[in-house]
Amino acid sequence: MSSTSSLITALKAELKARQWTYADLAQAIGMAESSVKRMLSQADMPLSRVDEICKALGIEFVELARHVVNAQPLLNELTLEQEQAVIKDRKLLLVAFCVLSQWTAQQMLETYDFDEPELIRCLSALDRLGVIELRPLNRYKLKLARTFRWLPDGPVMNYFRNAVLPDYFGSPFVPDEDLLMLTHGQIGASQLTSFKERLQRVAQDFAQQHAADMKLPEEHRKGCTMILALKEWEFSVFTDMRRKTKPVLKTTRHRL
């Protein structure tokens, strides 16, 4: 949908909310009702006309534009090109993970070693990529859905597998503070979906708790990273040890 079409859709919503008819609008802007109907149905008009209708409705053009932005669907994932743009800049990747965790600009500046112009550059880049809507005073609105995920075999997850996982599992796990469990077994194929859904709910619970605890003083919060995974898999070292052919079992008879 084009920008103009989106603005006209928002105008129609404003008309409906105010219970205005096409005749009411036509009278307010000095046009024939048939012309107003045609103009709105074609979803194409100059911005000067959009501004004129805004004035008739008593709303600012900026407010209408904000309604258009808020009506846009949230992203469940980025495109390959968007992820490539994020991954090629280490500071941009850092800021992307910070905004995913709903950090404020002030928190980023106080925690990491970059200055405000660098942060604004990264936030502006994420705004252009559609990850956030950058607002005055370095505030932003996240434009990603709660179900957002990186592309399973995309640049970010490949970086995660190649660089992050070794670092994560290579550092020590503190007894009674951290948790590391390895569970293996064979279960019915029909139960895999159920386990995946439960793990997804755990991840959502973690994200919701993070959002709720952002208001706590920093000294009362701990930075944690949780990795959940479930797939049909066997350690390659074990796979290499599997028999290539089934063994031939011989039956031995014992004499009494």
Side-chain angles (χ1 to χ4, degrees):
M1 183 181 290
S2 68
S3 299
T4 305
S5 297
S6 300
L7 287 171
I8 294 174
T9 299
L11 281 176
K12 290 179 179 179
E14 290 294 328
L15 289 171
K16 184 176 181 180
R18 288 168 169 74
Q19 297 184 336
W20 276 39
T21 64
Y22 287 155
D24 294 329
L25 179 59
Q27 183 178 4
I29 62 176
M31 289 182 65
E33 181 180 353
S34 58
S35 298
V36 169
K37 286 182 178 179
R38 183 170 59 255
M39 181 174 61
L40 292 177
S41 64
Q42 292 176 348
D44 186 20
M45 69 176 75
L47 291 179
S48 58
R49 183 67 75 183
V50 175
D51 190 51
E52 183 181 2
I53 296 175
C54 285
K55 290 179 180 177
L57 292 172
I59 63 172
E60 296 289 338
F61 181 85
V62 173
E63 181 183 352
L64 181 69
R66 186 177 298 114
H67 290 171
V68 171
V69 171
N70 292 337
Q72 297 301 314
L74 298 177
L75 298 177
N76 288 308
E77 60 184 30
L78 301 182
T79 65
L80 176 63
E81 292 74 17
Q82 288 172 317
E83 284 202 9
Q84 289 172 335
V86 171
I87 202 68
K88 72 179 182 180
D89 185 333
R90 190 173 64 175
K91 288 192 174 180
L92 182 58
L93 178 64
L94 170 61
V95 175
F97 273 89
C98 285
V99 300
L100 279 169
S101 298
Q102 298 283 359
W103 282 36
T104 65
Q106 188 63 32
Q107 287 175 313
M108 298 181 216
L109 289 171
E110 291 175 351
T111 304
Y112 295 108
D113 186 21
F114 47 62
D115 55 26
E116 188 170 7
E118 287 179 310
L119 176 60
I120 293 174
R121 175 186 66 82
C122 292
L123 291 174
S124 299
L126 292 177
D127 178 86
R128 291 192 297 272
L129 290 170
V131 174
I132 62 172
E133 176 198 339
L134 187 57
R135 295 177 174 179
L137 302 177
N138 295 334
R139 292 178 293 118
Y140 64 87
K141 176 185 177 183
L142 193 62
K143 296 171 67 175
L144 304 179
R146 290 187 177 183
T147 55
F148 173 80
R149 67 168 189 171
W150 300 106
L151 295 173
D153 198 31
V156 174
M157 287 304 297
N158 284 335
Y159 175 79
F160 176 83
R161 283 188 285 267
N162 294 331
V164 179
L165 280 181
D167 183 67
Y168 182 87
F169 288 108
S171 60
F173 284 75
V174 181
D176 300 327
E177 290 187 16
D178 302 327
L179 176 65
L180 177 62
M181 297 180 65
L182 176 62
T183 304
H184 176 72
Q186 294 183 329
I187 62 174
S190 61
Q191 295 300 314
L192 280 176
T193 299
S194 175
F195 274 101
K196 290 176 184 177
E197 290 174 350
R198 275 185 267 177
L199 290 174
Q200 288 170 346
R201 286 197 294 271
V202 171
Q204 291 169 358
D205 289 344
F206 184 89
Q208 290 171 359
Q209 192 63 53
H210 160 77
D213 289 351
M214 285 293 288
K215 60 187 177 183
L216 294 175
E218 187 171 356
E219 60 270 19
H220 293 165
R221 289 180 280 133
K222 290 187 176 182
C224 301
T225 299
M226 179 173 65
I227 297 177
L228 297 174
L230 176 67
K231 69 174 182 178
E232 185 177 350
W233 177 84
E234 182 181 50
F235 187 31
S236 59
V237 172
F238 297 164
T239 303
D240 293 340
M241 296 169 64
R242 280 181 174 265
R243 291 181 180 274
K244 303 301 184 288
T245 59
K246 290 185 177 181
V248 177
L249 301 178
K250 296 182 178 180
T251 302
T252 302
R253 297 183 178 179
H254 298 280
R255 293 183 178 181
L256 296 177

